[in-house]
Amino acid sequence: MFDIINKLLYPAIFVNIIVKHSSTTVYIEVIKNKVVINSAEKNFETTAVDEEMYEFITSYTRESPFYYISLLDPSEEQGAVPTCSKNSIWNFSDLSNSEHICFNNKWTYYSSNYDLLNLEKKYVTIGLDFLFSPFIILHNFFIDKIDTHKAMYVLIEESYMSLAIFDNSELLFAQHIDVENYKQSDELSMEDHSALEEEMEDMEDMEETIDLDDLDALEELDDFGDIEDLDTLEEMDDFAQTKDLEEEFKQDEEIKLLERESENFNEDYQRFLLIQSAIKYFYKDDKFNSEFIETIYIADSIKVSRDLKKYLEEEMFLSVYIRHMDLVKEICETAKLELQ
C-alpha cells in the first residue's frame, strides 16, 4: 500500500542511453499518472559518464525515488541464436563466456561476460536497471511483421547493425556487426568509384585552368606598359582578387559536396556488402534452417540515404521497406513494457 501511495505522489523517471562510436545520447521521460509531463534529450561528446552527463541525469533522478536507467547494449561480442535448448545452443555459438537469456521460449540472446563487467564498472556512478539487446528492440519494433512474415529484419545504428531472419516469429538467423571497425573487402571494385573520381579530377582540372587564366591575365596587364592611373590598376587588382576568391570558395564547396557524397556512398555500399554477406552465410551454412529471403525490413535510426535501398533491390532483387526509428525512444518504450 505504501509503495502504491508513493507512486501516486512521485513521477516515474525513465533514463535511456545509447552509446555511439565517439558520443552518447541520453533521453529522459518524466511520467506521472501514465502521462508524459516532461522530456529531454542531450548528446555528449564522450562515451563515458563524465561530470556533465552525470549532472544531467541526476538533475532528474533526484526528483523521484522511482527512476529506471536503461542502456542499449553496446557490446561487440553479442548476438542471438535460434534456440533455447541448452543442448542445441552450442551448435550455433560458444556461449561459455557469455550471459544468455531465452526469449519467449523460442530463441536466445547473449552478451559476453567481459563486456558486461566493463559496462557495470563504466556506469557504477549512476547504476543500470535495464540492459537491452538490440535484437529485443528490433523484435518489438517489427512485431507486426515478425509474427506473420518471413523476412530479414535489420536495425541500423551509427556504429552497428543487428540482422535477424524470422519466419512467422521463429528466429532462423541472427548476426551483430560492428560496422565502424569493418574493413571494406576487395568486392568493392574501382568501377563503383569511377564516376566520383572523374568528377573530382574534373574539379582539379578546373582549378589548374583557373590558375593558368590568372597568369595570362597578369601577362596581358604587363603588355600595357606604363599606366598613369595607379588607383584604377589597384581597383582592377582588387576586383580580380575578389572574383578569384569567389571562384575558389565555389570550387571548395563543390569539392566538399562531392566528398560528402563519396562518404555516404561508401557507408551505404559497405552496409549493403555486410547484409549481402550475412545472407550468403545464412544460405550456405548447414546449421541454419535456410529459407529463401525475398523481403527485408530496415529499422533506420540514422537516416540512411536511398542508395542502400537501391543496392538491395537492384543487386539482390529484394523487396525493401524502411521505417524510421527514434532508437532512444524505442528503448524507453521497452523499459515501460518491462515494468508492466
Side-chain angles (χ1 to χ4, degrees):
M1 178 65 72
F2 183 73
D3 285 343
I4 294 174
I5 294 173
N6 275 341
K7 286 182 178 180
L8 291 173
L9 294 174
Y10 292 99
I13 315 294
F14 289 87
V15 179
N16 312 277
I17 304 171
I18 295 177
V19 180
K20 302 174 185 178
H21 180 61
S22 58
S23 63
T24 301
T25 298
V26 179
Y27 171 70
I28 297 175
E29 270 192 16
V30 182
I31 298 177
K32 192 168 185 179
N33 298 326
K34 298 182 179 181
V35 176
V36 178
I37 61 174
N38 192 14
S39 65
E41 183 172 334
K42 192 170 183 178
N43 294 312
F44 301 88
E45 297 302 317
T46 177
T47 58
V49 182
D50 61 8
E51 184 177 348
E52 183 185 5
M53 190 189 304
Y54 178 81
E55 180 55 36
F56 176 69
I57 292 172
T58 56
S59 67
Y60 287 89
T61 58
R62 66 169 67 104
E63 298 298 322
S64 173
F66 303 104
Y67 62 85
Y68 311 94
I69 299 179
S70 304
L71 174 70
L72 181 66
D73 191 353
S75 307
E76 292 183 20
E77 299 298 323
Q78 62 170 302
V81 294
T83 182
C84 283
S85 169
K86 292 181 179 179
N87 295 326
S88 301
I89 281 178
W90 311 104
N91 295 330
F92 298 95
S93 184
D94 181 4
L95 303 185
S96 56
N97 295 315
S98 300
E99 289 289 332
H100 53 279
I101 298 174
C102 177
F103 182 77
N104 285 350
N105 294 318
K106 292 183 177 180
W107 50 277
T108 300
Y109 60 93
Y110 64 88
S111 193
S112 78
N113 290 325
Y114 175 79
D115 288 334
L116 293 175
L117 285 173
N118 282 340
L119 289 174
E120 186 177 357
K121 293 176 183 177
K122 188 175 183 179
Y123 293 94
V124 66
T125 57
I126 59 172
L128 291 175
D129 296 290
F130 301 117
L131 179 67
F132 291 122
S133 165
F135 293 100
I136 298 299
I137 305 297
L138 182 63
H139 175 274
N140 291 346
F141 189 68
F142 282 120
I143 189 66
D144 59 319
K145 302 298 181 184
I146 284 175
D147 283 349
T148 57
H149 288 66
K150 178 179 68 179
M152 170 174 270
Y153 301 85
V154 182
L155 170 58
I156 297 182
E157 303 175 54
E158 183 179 286
S159 302
Y160 299 99
M161 283 201 311
S162 300
L163 305 87
I165 297 174
F166 283 92
D167 184 2
N168 295 319
S169 78
E170 179 187 355
L171 180 68
L172 303 180
F173 171 82
Q175 190 174 21
H176 183 70
I177 303 172
D178 182 352
V179 179
E180 200 69 39
N181 293 328
Y182 173 75
K183 304 299 183 184
Q184 287 199 19
S185 68
D186 293 335
E187 294 174 64
L188 185 56
S189 67
M190 293 303 295
E191 293 178 0
D192 296 316
H193 293 288
S194 60
L196 285 170
E197 288 177 346
E198 287 174 5
E199 289 184 273
M200 295 292 285
E201 289 172 0
D202 289 341
M203 292 302 300
E204 291 173 359
D205 291 340
M206 285 174 61
E207 285 185 290
E208 292 174 2
T209 302
I210 290 169
D211 291 339
L212 291 172
D213 289 344
D214 291 342
L215 291 173
D216 291 338
L218 288 173
E219 289 174 359
E220 289 174 5
L221 284 174
D222 289 339
D223 292 340
F224 276 95
D226 295 333
I227 300 177
E228 295 179 357
D229 192 350
L230 295 178
D231 292 337
T232 303
L233 179 58
E234 289 175 357
E235 289 174 3
M236 291 173 63
D237 287 341
D238 290 341
F239 178 77
Q241 290 173 6
T242 301
K243 295 296 289 182
D244 289 344
L245 289 172
E246 288 176 354
E247 288 294 326
E248 184 177 348
F249 176 77
K250 182 179 179 181
Q251 293 157 30
D252 287 343
E253 290 300 307
E254 289 175 348
I255 291 172
K256 288 177 182 178
L257 177 60
L258 288 173
E259 289 173 346
R260 285 195 297 270
E261 290 176 349
S262 177
E263 183 179 350
N264 291 336
F265 165 82
N266 288 333
E267 290 176 352
D268 285 331
Y269 196 78
Q270 177 176 307
R271 293 186 184 100
F272 159 70
L273 288 178
L274 289 168
I275 293 170
Q276 183 185 58
S277 176
I279 292 177
K280 287 180 179 178
Y281 176 48
F282 169 66
Y283 286 153
K284 291 180 179 180
D285 200 308
D286 293 335
K287 65 174 174 278
F288 299 112
N289 182 21
S290 298
E291 299 280 349
F292 185 68
I293 303 302
E294 298 178 339
T295 307
I296 180 168
Y297 292 94
I298 296 175
D300 175 19
S301 71
I302 60 171
K303 297 183 180 179
V304 296
S305 75
R306 297 177 183 177
D307 289 337
L308 178 59
K309 185 175 189 292
K310 182 183 71 173
Y311 298 143
L312 292 167
E313 289 176 338
E314 294 181 359
E315 299 295 329
M316 300 190 68
F317 308 105
L318 293 168
S319 297
V320 183
Y321 302 93
I322 299 178
R323 285 186 189 175
H324 173 66
M325 173 193 278
D326 193 332
L327 183 53
V328 74
K329 290 185 179 180
E330 287 299 318
I331 296 168
C332 187
E333 293 304 312
T334 306
K336 293 174 189 175
L337 288 174
E338 289 291 319
L339 295 173
Q340 289 182 357

